[in-house]
PDB file of all heavy atoms in Angstrom:
ATOM      1  N   VAL A 725     -15.082   4.005 -31.386  1.00 95.00           N
ATOM      2  CA  VAL A 725     -14.223   5.060 -30.831  1.00 95.00           C
ATOM      3  C   VAL A 725     -13.833   6.008 -31.962  1.00 95.00           C
ATOM      4  O   VAL A 725     -13.183   5.618 -32.923  1.00 95.00           O
ATOM      5  CB  VAL A 725     -12.966   4.451 -30.170  1.00 95.00           C
ATOM      6  CG1 VAL A 725     -12.065   5.564 -29.645  1.00 95.00           C
ATOM      7  CG2 VAL A 725     -13.350   3.489 -29.062  1.00 95.00           C
ATOM      8  N   GLY A 726     -14.247   7.257 -31.855  1.00 94.00           N
ATOM      9  CA  GLY A 726     -14.017   8.213 -32.928  1.00 94.00           C
ATOM     10  C   GLY A 726     -14.927   8.004 -34.121  1.00 94.00           C
ATOM     11  O   GLY A 726     -14.664   8.519 -35.207  1.00 94.00           O
ATOM     12  N   ALA A 749     -21.579  10.155 -27.712  1.00 93.00           N
ATOM     13  CA  ALA A 749     -20.455  10.016 -26.786  1.00 93.00           C
ATOM     14  C   ALA A 749     -20.626   8.813 -25.857  1.00 93.00           C
ATOM     15  O   ALA A 749     -19.654   8.135 -25.527  1.00 93.00           O
ATOM     16  CB  ALA A 749     -20.300  11.295 -25.962  1.00 93.00           C
ATOM     17  N   GLN A 752     -19.478   5.743 -27.727  1.00 96.00           N
ATOM     18  CA  GLN A 752     -18.019   5.728 -27.870  1.00 96.00           C
ATOM     19  C   GLN A 752     -17.361   5.352 -26.539  1.00 96.00           C
ATOM     20  O   GLN A 752     -16.418   4.548 -26.494  1.00 96.00           O
ATOM     21  CB  GLN A 752     -17.518   7.098 -28.318  1.00 96.00           C
ATOM     22  CG  GLN A 752     -17.930   7.488 -29.718  1.00 96.00           C
ATOM     23  CD  GLN A 752     -17.165   8.705 -30.201  1.00 96.00           C
ATOM     24  OE1 GLN A 752     -15.939   8.720 -30.188  1.00 96.00           O
ATOM     25  NE2 GLN A 752     -17.878   9.735 -30.624  1.00 96.00           N
ATOM     26  N   ARG A 753     -17.891   5.924 -25.468  1.00 96.00           N
ATOM     27  CA  ARG A 753     -17.328   5.633 -24.148  1.00 96.00           C
ATOM     28  C   ARG A 753     -17.570   4.177 -23.763  1.00 96.00           C
ATOM     29  O   ARG A 753     -16.716   3.539 -23.137  1.00 96.00           O
ATOM     30  CB  ARG A 753     -17.952   6.590 -23.130  1.00 96.00           C
ATOM     31  CG  ARG A 753     -17.187   6.726 -21.837  1.00 96.00           C
ATOM     32  CD  ARG A 753     -17.642   7.917 -21.020  1.00 96.00           C
ATOM     33  NE  ARG A 753     -17.028   9.148 -21.504  1.00 96.00           N
ATOM     34  CZ  ARG A 753     -17.702  10.160 -22.016  1.00 96.00           C
ATOM     35  NH1 ARG A 753     -19.012  10.105 -22.133  1.00 96.00           N
ATOM     36  NH2 ARG A 753     -17.068  11.251 -22.422  1.00 96.00           N
ATOM     37  N   LEU A 756     -14.996   2.072 -25.571  1.00 97.00           N
ATOM     38  CA  LEU A 756     -13.695   2.182 -24.906  1.00 97.00           C
ATOM     39  C   LEU A 756     -13.680   1.359 -23.620  1.00 97.00           C
ATOM     40  O   LEU A 756     -12.689   0.679 -23.313  1.00 97.00           O
ATOM     41  CB  LEU A 756     -13.394   3.649 -24.600  1.00 97.00           C
ATOM     42  CG  LEU A 756     -12.044   3.961 -23.950  1.00 97.00           C
ATOM     43  CD1 LEU A 756     -10.895   3.516 -24.846  1.00 97.00           C
ATOM     44  CD2 LEU A 756     -11.929   5.450 -23.631  1.00 97.00           C
ATOM     45  N   ILE A 816      -6.910   1.961 -31.760  1.00 96.00           N
ATOM     46  CA  ILE A 816      -7.331   3.142 -31.001  1.00 96.00           C
ATOM     47  C   ILE A 816      -6.431   4.339 -31.285  1.00 96.00           C
ATOM     48  O   ILE A 816      -6.896   5.467 -31.442  1.00 96.00           O
ATOM     49  CB  ILE A 816      -7.318   2.842 -29.490  1.00 96.00           C
ATOM     50  CG1 ILE A 816      -8.376   1.807 -29.145  1.00 96.00           C
ATOM     51  CG2 ILE A 816      -7.583   4.116 -28.681  1.00 96.00           C
ATOM     52  CD1 ILE A 816      -8.354   1.421 -27.681  1.00 96.00           C
ATOM     53  N   PHE A 817      -5.113   4.076 -31.348  1.00 97.00           N
ATOM     54  CA  PHE A 817      -4.163   5.168 -31.507  1.00 97.00           C
ATOM     55  C   PHE A 817      -3.689   5.315 -32.954  1.00 97.00           C
ATOM     56  O   PHE A 817      -2.623   5.869 -33.210  1.00 97.00           O
ATOM     57  CB  PHE A 817      -2.978   4.967 -30.563  1.00 97.00           C
ATOM     58  CG  PHE A 817      -3.360   5.080 -29.109  1.00 97.00           C
ATOM     59  CD1 PHE A 817      -3.418   3.958 -28.292  1.00 97.00           C
ATOM     60  CD2 PHE A 817      -3.699   6.307 -28.573  1.00 97.00           C
ATOM     61  CE1 PHE A 817      -3.790   4.053 -26.960  1.00 97.00           C
ATOM     62  CE2 PHE A 817      -4.069   6.421 -27.240  1.00 97.00           C
ATOM     63  CZ  PHE A 817      -4.117   5.299 -26.433  1.00 97.00           C
ATOM     64  N   MET A 822      -7.522   9.088 -34.242  1.00 97.00           N
ATOM     65  CA  MET A 822      -7.300  10.225 -33.337  1.00 97.00           C
ATOM     66  C   MET A 822      -7.748  11.534 -33.973  1.00 97.00           C
ATOM     67  O   MET A 822      -8.292  12.407 -33.296  1.00 97.00           O
ATOM     68  CB  MET A 822      -5.825  10.281 -32.928  1.00 97.00           C
ATOM     69  CG  MET A 822      -5.399   9.103 -32.060  1.00 97.00           C
ATOM     70  SD  MET A 822      -3.762   9.276 -31.308  1.00 97.00           S
ATOM     71  CE  MET A 822      -2.691   9.183 -32.759  1.00 97.00           C
ATOM     72  N   ARG A 824     -10.236  11.807 -36.097  1.00 95.00           N
ATOM     73  CA  ARG A 824     -11.704  11.820 -36.032  1.00 95.00           C
ATOM     74  C   ARG A 824     -12.184  12.182 -34.634  1.00 95.00           C
ATOM     75  O   ARG A 824     -13.168  12.910 -34.473  1.00 95.00           O
ATOM     76  CB  ARG A 824     -12.259  10.457 -36.446  1.00 95.00           C
ATOM     77  CG  ARG A 824     -12.200  10.188 -37.938  1.00 95.00           C
ATOM     78  CD  ARG A 824     -13.185   9.115 -38.361  1.00 95.00           C
ATOM     79  NE  ARG A 824     -12.966   7.847 -37.676  1.00 95.00           N
ATOM     80  CZ  ARG A 824     -12.142   6.893 -38.114  1.00 95.00           C
ATOM     81  NH1 ARG A 824     -11.459   7.081 -39.240  1.00 95.00           N
ATOM     82  NH2 ARG A 824     -12.000   5.773 -37.446  1.00 95.00           N
ATOM     83  N   VAL A 825     -11.509  11.675 -33.612  1.00 96.00           N
ATOM     84  CA  VAL A 825     -11.889  12.018 -32.239  1.00 96.00           C
ATOM     85  C   VAL A 825     -11.780  13.530 -32.034  1.00 96.00           C
ATOM     86  O   VAL A 825     -12.694  14.160 -31.476  1.00 96.00           O
ATOM     87  CB  VAL A 825     -10.995  11.274 -31.222  1.00 96.00           C
ATOM     88  CG1 VAL A 825     -11.244  11.785 -29.802  1.00 96.00           C
ATOM     89  CG2 VAL A 825     -11.264   9.772 -31.275  1.00 96.00           C
ATOM     90  N   LEU A 826     -10.681  14.111 -32.469  1.00 96.00           N
ATOM     91  CA  LEU A 826     -10.495  15.561 -32.311  1.00 96.00           C
ATOM     92  C   LEU A 826     -11.531  16.345 -33.115  1.00 96.00           C
ATOM     93  O   LEU A 826     -12.050  17.364 -32.650  1.00 96.00           O
ATOM     94  CB  LEU A 826      -9.081  15.952 -32.737  1.00 96.00           C
ATOM     95  CG  LEU A 826      -7.964  15.518 -31.779  1.00 96.00           C
ATOM     96  CD1 LEU A 826      -6.595  15.739 -32.414  1.00 96.00           C
ATOM     97  CD2 LEU A 826      -8.059  16.284 -30.466  1.00 96.00           C
ATOM     98  N   ASN A 828     -14.515  15.267 -33.894  1.00 91.00           N
ATOM     99  CA  ASN A 828     -15.791  15.108 -33.188  1.00 91.00           C
ATOM    100  C   ASN A 828     -15.896  16.104 -32.034  1.00 91.00           C
ATOM    101  O   ASN A 828     -16.964  16.662 -31.773  1.00 91.00           O
ATOM    102  CB  ASN A 828     -15.939  13.683 -32.665  1.00 91.00           C
ATOM    103  CG  ASN A 828     -16.265  12.689 -33.762  1.00 91.00           C
ATOM    104  OD1 ASN A 828     -16.630  13.068 -34.873  1.00 91.00           O
ATOM    105  ND2 ASN A 828     -16.151  11.405 -33.450  1.00 91.00           N
ATOM    106  N   GLU A 829     -14.783  16.309 -31.320  1.00 91.00           N
ATOM    107  CA  GLU A 829     -14.769  17.303 -30.249  1.00 91.00           C
ATOM    108  C   GLU A 829     -15.073  18.688 -30.818  1.00 91.00           C
ATOM    109  O   GLU A 829     -15.846  19.463 -30.233  1.00 91.00           O
ATOM    110  CB  GLU A 829     -13.398  17.329 -29.570  1.00 91.00           C
ATOM    111  CG  GLU A 829     -13.058  16.104 -28.743  1.00 91.00           C
ATOM    112  CD  GLU A 829     -11.734  16.271 -28.011  1.00 91.00           C
ATOM    113  OE1 GLU A 829     -11.573  17.296 -27.319  1.00 91.00           O
ATOM    114  OE2 GLU A 829     -10.854  15.390 -28.146  1.00 91.00           O
ATOM    115  N   PHE A 830     -14.474  18.989 -31.949  1.00 91.00           N
ATOM    116  CA  PHE A 830     -14.645  20.305 -32.561  1.00 91.00           C
ATOM    117  C   PHE A 830     -16.085  20.517 -33.051  1.00 91.00           C
ATOM    118  O   PHE A 830     -16.614  21.623 -32.998  1.00 91.00           O
ATOM    119  CB  PHE A 830     -13.666  20.448 -33.737  1.00 91.00           C
ATOM    120  CG  PHE A 830     -13.697  21.793 -34.396  1.00 91.00           C
ATOM    121  CD1 PHE A 830     -13.119  22.894 -33.793  1.00 91.00           C
ATOM    122  CD2 PHE A 830     -14.308  21.963 -35.640  1.00 91.00           C
ATOM    123  CE1 PHE A 830     -13.147  24.135 -34.407  1.00 91.00           C
ATOM    124  CE2 PHE A 830     -14.336  23.190 -36.255  1.00 91.00           C
ATOM    125  CZ  PHE A 830     -13.752  24.291 -35.645  1.00 91.00           C
ATOM    126  N   ARG A 832     -18.905  19.268 -31.831  1.00 80.00           N
ATOM    127  CA  ARG A 832     -19.996  19.162 -30.860  1.00 80.00           C
ATOM    128  C   ARG A 832     -20.700  20.503 -30.679  1.00 80.00           C
ATOM    129  O   ARG A 832     -20.080  21.568 -30.683  1.00 80.00           O
ATOM    130  CB  ARG A 832     -19.487  18.651 -29.519  1.00 80.00           C
ATOM    131  CG  ARG A 832     -18.618  19.629 -28.744  1.00 80.00           C
ATOM    132  CD  ARG A 832     -18.339  19.111 -27.350  1.00 80.00           C
ATOM    133  NE  ARG A 832     -17.302  19.910 -26.703  1.00 80.00           N
ATOM    134  CZ  ARG A 832     -16.966  19.772 -25.426  1.00 80.00           C
ATOM    135  NH1 ARG A 832     -17.572  18.872 -24.691  1.00 80.00           N
ATOM    136  NH2 ARG A 832     -16.015  20.516 -24.900  1.00 80.00           N
ATOM    137  N   GLY A 836     -22.184  19.922 -25.384  1.00 77.00           N
ATOM    138  CA  GLY A 836     -22.745  18.581 -25.375  1.00 77.00           C
ATOM    139  C   GLY A 836     -21.710  17.536 -24.996  1.00 77.00           C
ATOM    140  O   GLY A 836     -20.503  17.795 -25.024  1.00 77.00           O
ATOM    141  N   PRO A 837     -22.158  16.331 -24.629  1.00 89.00           N
ATOM    142  CA  PRO A 837     -21.228  15.263 -24.229  1.00 89.00           C
ATOM    143  C   PRO A 837     -20.341  14.843 -25.389  1.00 89.00           C
ATOM    144  O   PRO A 837     -20.771  14.809 -26.542  1.00 89.00           O
ATOM    145  CB  PRO A 837     -22.165  14.123 -23.807  1.00 89.00           C
ATOM    146  CG  PRO A 837     -23.442  14.389 -24.527  1.00 89.00           C
ATOM    147  CD  PRO A 837     -23.557  15.881 -24.632  1.00 89.00           C
ATOM    148  N   VAL A 838     -19.105  14.518 -25.084  1.00 91.00           N
ATOM    149  CA  VAL A 838     -18.150  14.120 -26.117  1.00 91.00           C
ATOM    150  C   VAL A 838     -17.058  13.265 -25.481  1.00 91.00           C
ATOM    151  O   VAL A 838     -16.699  13.461 -24.311  1.00 91.00           O
ATOM    152  CB  VAL A 838     -17.529  15.360 -26.801  1.00 91.00           C
ATOM    153  CG1 VAL A 838     -16.695  16.169 -25.831  1.00 91.00           C
ATOM    154  CG2 VAL A 838     -16.696  14.961 -28.018  1.00 91.00           C
ATOM    155  N   LEU A 839     -16.575  12.277 -26.227  1.00 94.00           N
ATOM    156  CA  LEU A 839     -15.417  11.502 -25.799  1.00 94.00           C
ATOM    157  C   LEU A 839     -14.173  12.216 -26.308  1.00 94.00           C
ATOM    158  O   LEU A 839     -13.992  12.378 -27.520  1.00 94.00           O
ATOM    159  CB  LEU A 839     -15.466  10.079 -26.358  1.00 94.00           C
ATOM    160  CG  LEU A 839     -14.253   9.199 -26.045  1.00 94.00           C
ATOM    161  CD1 LEU A 839     -14.178   8.889 -24.552  1.00 94.00           C
ATOM    162  CD2 LEU A 839     -14.297   7.907 -26.855  1.00 94.00           C
ATOM    163  N   THR A 840     -13.324  12.655 -25.393  1.00 95.00           N
ATOM    164  CA  THR A 840     -12.146  13.421 -25.785  1.00 95.00           C
ATOM    165  C   THR A 840     -10.932  12.514 -25.974  1.00 95.00           C
ATOM    166  O   THR A 840     -10.863  11.417 -25.413  1.00 95.00           O
ATOM    167  CB  THR A 840     -11.811  14.491 -24.736  1.00 95.00           C
ATOM    168  OG1 THR A 840     -11.398  13.834 -23.526  1.00 95.00           O
ATOM    169  CG2 THR A 840     -13.016  15.378 -24.452  1.00 95.00           C
ATOM    170  N   LEU A 841      -9.989  13.009 -26.734  1.00 97.00           N
ATOM    171  CA  LEU A 841      -8.746  12.267 -26.938  1.00 97.00           C
ATOM    172  C   LEU A 841      -7.980  12.151 -25.625  1.00 97.00           C
ATOM    173  O   LEU A 841      -7.345  11.127 -25.348  1.00 97.00           O
ATOM    174  CB  LEU A 841      -7.894  12.963 -28.000  1.00 97.00           C
ATOM    175  CG  LEU A 841      -6.695  12.180 -28.536  1.00 97.00           C
ATOM    176  CD1 LEU A 841      -7.145  10.869 -29.173  1.00 97.00           C
ATOM    177  CD2 LEU A 841      -5.934  13.019 -29.572  1.00 97.00           C
ATOM    178  N   ALA A 842      -8.066  13.201 -24.796  1.00 97.00           N
ATOM    179  CA  ALA A 842      -7.392  13.168 -23.499  1.00 97.00           C
ATOM    180  C   ALA A 842      -7.948  12.039 -22.632  1.00 97.00           C
ATOM    181  O   ALA A 842      -7.196  11.346 -21.924  1.00 97.00           O
ATOM    182  CB  ALA A 842      -7.570  14.509 -22.789  1.00 97.00           C
ATOM    183  N   GLU A 843      -9.263  11.821 -22.691  1.00 97.00           N
ATOM    184  CA  GLU A 843      -9.874  10.745 -21.908  1.00 97.00           C
ATOM    185  C   GLU A 843      -9.402   9.375 -22.398  1.00 97.00           C
ATOM    186  O   GLU A 843      -9.165   8.464 -21.602  1.00 97.00           O
ATOM    187  CB  GLU A 843     -11.399  10.843 -21.993  1.00 97.00           C
ATOM    188  CG  GLU A 843     -12.132   9.802 -21.167  1.00 97.00           C
ATOM    189  CD  GLU A 843     -13.645   9.938 -21.261  1.00 97.00           C
ATOM    190  OE1 GLU A 843     -14.126  10.987 -21.705  1.00 97.00           O
ATOM    191  OE2 GLU A 843     -14.340   8.959 -20.887  1.00 97.00           O
ATOM    192  N   ILE A 844      -9.273   9.223 -23.703  1.00 97.00           N
ATOM    193  CA  ILE A 844      -8.809   7.951 -24.262  1.00 97.00           C
ATOM    194  C   ILE A 844      -7.391   7.650 -23.788  1.00 97.00           C
ATOM    195  O   ILE A 844      -7.093   6.552 -23.302  1.00 97.00           O
ATOM    196  CB  ILE A 844      -8.873   7.991 -25.796  1.00 97.00           C
ATOM    197  CG1 ILE A 844     -10.330   8.061 -26.263  1.00 97.00           C
ATOM    198  CG2 ILE A 844      -8.199   6.759 -26.394  1.00 97.00           C
ATOM    199  CD1 ILE A 844     -10.485   8.276 -27.757  1.00 97.00           C
ATOM    200  N   PHE A 845      -6.504   8.637 -23.925  1.00 98.00           N
ATOM    201  CA  PHE A 845      -5.110   8.450 -23.491  1.00 98.00           C
ATOM    202  C   PHE A 845      -5.056   8.069 -22.010  1.00 98.00           C
ATOM    203  O   PHE A 845      -4.339   7.146 -21.614  1.00 98.00           O
ATOM    204  CB  PHE A 845      -4.300   9.720 -23.740  1.00 98.00           C
ATOM    205  CG  PHE A 845      -3.647   9.796 -25.085  1.00 98.00           C
ATOM    206  CD1 PHE A 845      -4.352  10.214 -26.193  1.00 98.00           C
ATOM    207  CD2 PHE A 845      -2.317   9.438 -25.244  1.00 98.00           C
ATOM    208  CE1 PHE A 845      -3.754  10.282 -27.439  1.00 98.00           C
ATOM    209  CE2 PHE A 845      -1.699   9.502 -26.487  1.00 98.00           C
ATOM    210  CZ  PHE A 845      -2.422   9.932 -27.592  1.00 98.00           C
ATOM    211  N   SER A 846      -5.805   8.787 -21.199  1.00 97.00           N
ATOM    212  CA  SER A 846      -5.746   8.586 -19.757  1.00 97.00           C
ATOM    213  C   SER A 846      -6.308   7.234 -19.335  1.00 97.00           C
ATOM    214  O   SER A 846      -5.681   6.507 -18.554  1.00 97.00           O
ATOM    215  CB  SER A 846      -6.522   9.711 -19.058  1.00 97.00           C
ATOM    216  OG  SER A 846      -6.553   9.500 -17.665  1.00 97.00           O
ATOM    217  N   SER A 847      -7.481   6.861 -19.864  1.00 97.00           N
ATOM    218  CA  SER A 847      -8.130   5.622 -19.409  1.00 97.00           C
ATOM    219  C   SER A 847      -7.360   4.385 -19.848  1.00 97.00           C
ATOM    220  O   SER A 847      -7.227   3.418 -19.085  1.00 97.00           O
ATOM    221  CB  SER A 847      -9.569   5.562 -19.918  1.00 97.00           C
ATOM    222  OG  SER A 847      -9.613   5.417 -21.317  1.00 97.00           O
ATOM    223  N   LEU A 895      -0.355  15.002 -25.896  1.00 98.00           N
ATOM    224  CA  LEU A 895      -0.918  14.113 -24.878  1.00 98.00           C
ATOM    225  C   LEU A 895       0.003  12.922 -24.604  1.00 98.00           C
ATOM    226  O   LEU A 895       0.113  12.461 -23.464  1.00 98.00           O
ATOM    227  CB  LEU A 895      -2.293  13.623 -25.325  1.00 98.00           C
ATOM    228  CG  LEU A 895      -3.404  14.681 -25.326  1.00 98.00           C
ATOM    229  CD1 LEU A 895      -4.653  14.139 -26.022  1.00 98.00           C
ATOM    230  CD2 LEU A 895      -3.746  15.120 -23.903  1.00 98.00           C
TER     231      LEU A 895
END
Side-chain angles (χ1 to χ4, degrees):
V725 178
Q752 293 192 54
R753 198 166 279 117
L756 182 60
I816 294 177
F817 294 107
M822 293 191 292
R824 285 201 302 271
V825 171
L826 288 170
N828 285 346
E829 290 185 52
F830 183 75
R832 70 172 169 172
V838 65
L839 176 67
T840 67
L841 192 60
E843 182 179 344
I844 293 173
F845 270 82
S846 176
S847 68
L895 290 170

